[in-house]
């Protein structure tokens, strides 16, 4: 982790990067690639693309609504949706995660909060890889 980023900044940046990657992927998928893409589909894509500009009070709530809409209206996009985003936005998004997966994310959050309290460096990406057995 860079010395200039706090664990909280690292955490948010990681998820914003995932959100950006998800957007880039879904832009290449139907119905968004269709010439006759409906106004509703166009609005959904626009809302997802502008989500990062709403960081603040309604950011998490809006993100929850949009990700839940992926599940209900665009299930073919679910393989492209990073599980981390379901955890990050929380709320109703957690209904789409098994208990074991939730427990791993909780453990990861506890490690991040411990590092913050202790003033230690913390790389969310590296610790996530360890928690999920990717290292």
């Amino acid at each position: 982790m860079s010395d200039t980023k706090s664990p909280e900044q690292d955490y948010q940046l990681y998820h914003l990067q995932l959100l950006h990657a998800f957007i880039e992927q879904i832009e290449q998928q139907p119905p968004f690639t269709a010439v006759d893409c409906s106004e509703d589909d166009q609005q959904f894509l626009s809302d997802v693309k502008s989500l990062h500009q709403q960081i603040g009070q309604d950011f998490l709530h809006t993100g929850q609504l949009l990700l839940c809409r992926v599940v209900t209206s665009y299930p073919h996009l679910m393989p492209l949706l990073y599980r981390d985003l379901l955890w990050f936005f929380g709320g109703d998004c957690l209904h789409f995660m098994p208990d074991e997966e939730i427990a791993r994310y909780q453990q990861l959050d506890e490690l991040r909060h411990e590092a913050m309290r202790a003033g230690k460096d913390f790389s969310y990406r590296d610790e996530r890889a360890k928690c999920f057995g990717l290292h």
Side-chain angles (χ1 to χ4, degrees), residues 61-130:
H61 177 70
T62 302
Q64 288 172 25
L65 295 174
L66 291 170
L67 293 189
C68 287
R69 186 156 174 220
V70 170
V71 175
T72 59
S73 300
Y74 306 101
H76 66 287
L77 299 178
M78 282 303 293
L80 302 176
L81 181 60
Y82 298 93
R83 310 293 298 170
D84 298 76
L85 292 175
L86 293 174
W87 175 256
F88 180 72
F89 285 105
D92 287 340
C93 295
L94 300 180
H95 295 293
F96 308 110
M97 300 176 74
D99 291 342
E100 180 181 298
E101 187 176 30
I102 289 172
R104 287 185 181 197
Y105 281 107
Q106 287 173 330
Q107 176 188 14
L108 185 55
D109 273 0
E110 288 170 11
L111 292 171
R112 180 172 55 90
H113 289 293
E114 285 175 24
M116 287 171 56
R117 279 191 294 274
K120 294 182 179 179
D121 285 343
F122 183 86
S123 169
Y124 187 83
R125 189 177 306 267
D126 291 344
E127 290 301 322
R128 182 195 174 283
K130 290 176 192 173

Side-chain angles (χ1 to χ4, degrees), residues 18-81:
L18 291 181
L19 180 61
H20 181 72
F22 176 65
I23 291 166
E24 286 182 339
Q25 291 177 57
I26 67 171
E27 286 179 309
Q28 306 304 313
Q29 302 297 317
F32 312 112
T33 55
V35 175
D36 59 346
C37 184
S38 75
E39 189 175 312
D40 189 46
D41 293 333
Q42 290 175 19
Q43 184 62 52
F44 171 77
L45 184 58
S46 176
D47 290 346
V48 172
K49 288 169 78 171
S50 67
L51 181 60
H52 72 280
Q53 297 169 355
Q54 299 175 14
I55 294 175
Q57 204 169 31
D58 292 331
F59 175 69
L60 292 177
H61 177 70
T62 302
Q64 288 172 25
L65 295 174
L66 291 170
L67 293 189
C68 287
R69 186 156 174 220
V70 170
V71 175
T72 59
S73 300
Y74 306 101
H76 66 287
L77 299 178
M78 282 303 293
L80 302 176
L81 181 60

